[in-house]
Amino acid sequence: MATRQKISEREMSGEAAEEVSEQAIGPAALASAASVGLAWYYFFLRGDRERGLFVGLWPPTILAFASYFNQRKMRQQLNTITQPGSTLRNAIDSMMGNR
């Protein structure tokens, strides 16, 4: 019970949501920046414009996947906080510690 209480306190403080966003976006931002650099390399330095444009389409895709997985983790955390069948008011009360 003590570990469950610590987990719920951590979730209520918002630390868990920040950890999830940092874990998902960090590597994705690095991969996106690297693919932008690679696209510039192909487009300007090598003169291969088609390959440069192709690689230039990777960053939005990488960031979209990172955003999807981030939202999925946040949804799982929300589901652990709220029990199925409970009302929104009960879920907010349990998060605020009123129950």
Side-chain angles (χ1 to χ4, degrees):
M1 281 290 188
T3 57
R4 178 81 174 159
Q5 184 179 4
K6 288 179 185 178
I7 291 172
S8 63
E9 287 174 2
R10 191 173 127 226
E11 289 172 348
M12 284 188 280
S13 67
E15 293 174 11
E18 291 174 7
E19 288 176 9
V20 168
S21 65
E22 289 174 3
Q23 291 172 359
I25 299 299
L30 289 173
S32 296
S35 64
V36 167
L38 187 63
W40 286 351
Y41 170 75
Y42 280 127
F43 193 86
F44 293 113
L45 296 177
R46 301 262 331 250
D48 190 358
R49 295 184 185 271
E50 287 182 16
R51 185 174 290 178
L53 291 174
F54 174 71
V55 174
L57 293 174
W58 294 355
T61 305
I62 294 168
L63 293 174
F65 277 119
S67 176
Y68 168 74
F69 289 119
N70 187 15
Q71 289 176 1
R72 192 169 152 199
K73 286 181 183 178
M74 289 172 58
R75 182 67 178 169
Q76 288 174 351
Q77 287 180 345
L78 183 62
N79 285 340
T80 59
I81 292 173
T82 59
Q83 309 301 330
S86 66
T87 63
L88 182 60
R89 180 171 175 81
N90 290 340
I92 292 172
D93 286 341
S94 68
M95 284 175 41
M96 298 305 245
N98 294 340
R99 288 192 174 202

